[in-house]
């Protein structure tokens, strides 16, 4: 049997969620979040990896036509510990910018089977812990101010997390930039600092650096190897498993924000793989 891709499972679940009610929203904008263990933020800023380094996930969040108090979601995770909800599996929407931790504003179902989907309505017991009137619309209108976090016993403070974004707005903004001749707004991100590497074998290493700051949102980091762009990372680490034994490589990193502004390059480092 052909294994379904992560995205196809989410699309199927999204369609199933839409059947929860006759008003299931098709005109509402759909928010997205890509979850990764490297997006977790610990209390100690010098601790670079606090989430599950292998964990991944995706989520869609959307509203309901004619009902401004209901929020629906679909969440799928993989490569993390899965246990029953009663044994420590949980998921939440938190308020907070990327690179910061914030309070829970919505309680989601723990994806104990690798996925979860539901619709929450303001006033339901335990669904919106702050009991803030209008929290659903505030999430939908300001997705970059909220993130999704998934917890399990291996990582009780968070195995994977991801900032929410409005892909429709992002595409429209990119189109507007093209019509304006490609002009970008805002300041460039700060330079990624303290680039280091850990060599694992003759064919693999991992790069780490301090997260950049920006007047908007730092959306990704471009990783250069031997002077050429080699890959991209959402968080502040990059795994390179395409090395030759006993070979030296030079790396540097450039931060990119949501307006496509690029930082200056980080200091470069030279790393040699094991023989």
């Amino acid at each position: 049997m052909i294994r379904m891709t992560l995205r196809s499972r989410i699309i199927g679940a999204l369609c199933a969620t839409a059947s929860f009610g006759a008003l299931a929203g098709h005109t509402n904008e759909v928010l997205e979040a890509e979850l990764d263990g490297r997006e977790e933020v610990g209390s100690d800023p010098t601790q670079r990896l606090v989430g599950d380094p292998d964990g991944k996930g995706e989520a869609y969040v959307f509203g309901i036509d004619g009902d401004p108090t209901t929020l629906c979601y679909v969440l799928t995770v993989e490569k993390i510990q899965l246990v029953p909800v009663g044994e420590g599996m949980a998921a939440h929407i938190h308020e907070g910018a990327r690179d910061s931790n914030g309070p829970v504003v919505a309680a989601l179902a723990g994806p104990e089977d690798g996925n979860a989907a539901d619709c929450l309505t303001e006033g339901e017991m335990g669904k919106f812990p702050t009991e803030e009137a209008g929290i659903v619309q505030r999430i939908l209108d300001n997705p970059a101010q909220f993130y999704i976090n998934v917890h399990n016993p291996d990582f009780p403070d968070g195995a994977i997390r991801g900032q929410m974004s409005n892909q429709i707005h992002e595409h429209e903004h990119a189109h507007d930039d093209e019509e304006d001749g490609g002009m970008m707004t805002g300041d460039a991100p700060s330079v990624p600092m303290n680039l280091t590497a850990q060599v694992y074998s003759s064919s693999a290493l991992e790069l780490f650096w301090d997260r950049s700051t920006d007047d908007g949102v730092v959306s990704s980091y471009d990783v250069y190897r031997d002077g050429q762009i080699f890959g991209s990372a959402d968080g502040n680490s990059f795994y390179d498993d395409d090395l030759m034994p006993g070979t030296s490589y030079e790396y540097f990193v450039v931060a990119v924000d949501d307006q496509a502004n690029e930082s200056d390059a980080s200091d470069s480092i030279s790393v040699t793989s094991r023989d």
Side-chain angles (χ1 to χ4, degrees):
M1 182 174 63
I2 298 175
R3 180 179 179 272
M4 296 178 67
T5 65
L6 180 60
R7 182 168 293 276
S8 65
R9 292 201 303 270
I10 289 177
I11 295 297
L14 183 62
C15 294
T17 304
S19 67
F20 286 174
L23 294 174
H26 61 277
T27 63
N28 278 285
E29 296 164 349
V30 177
L31 310 182
E32 299 182 35
E34 295 186 8
L35 283 65
D36 193 297
R38 291 173 172 82
E39 285 294 293
E40 291 289 350
V41 180
S43 57
D44 181 358
T46 65
Q47 187 177 3
R48 297 180 184 274
L49 291 177
V50 296
D52 190 325
D54 299 318
K56 301 288 183 183
E58 290 189 79
Y60 290 125
V61 176
F62 55 99
I64 295 295
D65 289 344
D67 183 357
T69 64
T70 295
L71 189 74
C72 297
Y73 66 90
V74 177
L75 172 63
T76 299
V77 302
E78 62 177 7
K79 298 182 178 179
I80 66 171
Q81 179 193 31
L82 299 177
V83 298
V85 169
E87 297 178 13
M89 198 78 202
H92 308 98
I93 297 176
H94 295 248
E95 182 168 9
R98 191 179 184 188
D99 301 336
S100 68
N101 290 317
V104 173
V105 296
L108 311 181
E112 60 181 44
D113 297 320
N115 58 76
D118 198 2
C119 291
L120 318 174
T121 300
E122 292 178 27
E124 285 188 83
M125 181 70 69
K127 299 299 186 181
F128 296 97
T130 64
E131 299 183 355
E132 173 190 340
I135 183 61
V136 167
Q137 285 304 304
R138 196 157 69 82
I139 293 171
L140 294 173
D141 292 342
N142 306 279
Q145 297 178 12
F146 299 88
Y147 63 92
I148 293 176
N149 202 14
V150 177
H151 312 257
N152 58 23
D154 280 348
F155 297 91
D157 292 330
I160 55 175
R161 68 175 270 179
Q163 210 71 20
M164 290 199 288
S165 64
N166 187 316
Q167 295 300 312
I168 294 176
H169 281 175
E170 288 182 5
H171 295 324
E172 288 176 347
H173 182 81
H175 179 68
D176 291 343
D177 283 348
E178 292 174 2
E179 291 181 346
D180 291 339
M183 295 179 62
M184 296 177 291
T185 61
D187 297 327
S190 65
V191 176
M193 302 295 289
N194 299 320
L195 179 62
T196 60
Q198 183 173 351
V199 178
Y200 295 127
S201 67
S202 62
S203 61
L205 61 77
E206 192 161 16
L207 302 172
F208 303 93
W209 57 89
D210 294 342
R211 295 173 184 267
S212 296
T213 59
D214 189 63
D215 58 351
V217 176
V218 177
S219 57
S220 63
Y221 298 88
D222 289 336
V223 177
Y224 288 75
R225 190 176 84 174
D226 295 336
Q228 303 293 322
I229 190 165
F230 182 70
S232 181
D234 293 332
N236 59 326
S237 64
F238 180 81
Y239 187 76
D240 183 358
D241 61 355
D242 187 28
L243 308 179
M244 297 293 293
T247 304
S248 294
Y249 299 89
E250 187 168 302
Y251 297 89
F252 65 85
V253 178
V254 173
V256 183
D257 69 12
D258 57 351
Q259 305 296 316
N261 297 303
E262 296 184 354
S263 73
D264 291 335
S266 70
D267 290 339
S268 62
I269 61 170
S270 180
V271 188
T272 301
S273 60
R274 295 180 184 175
D275 290 328

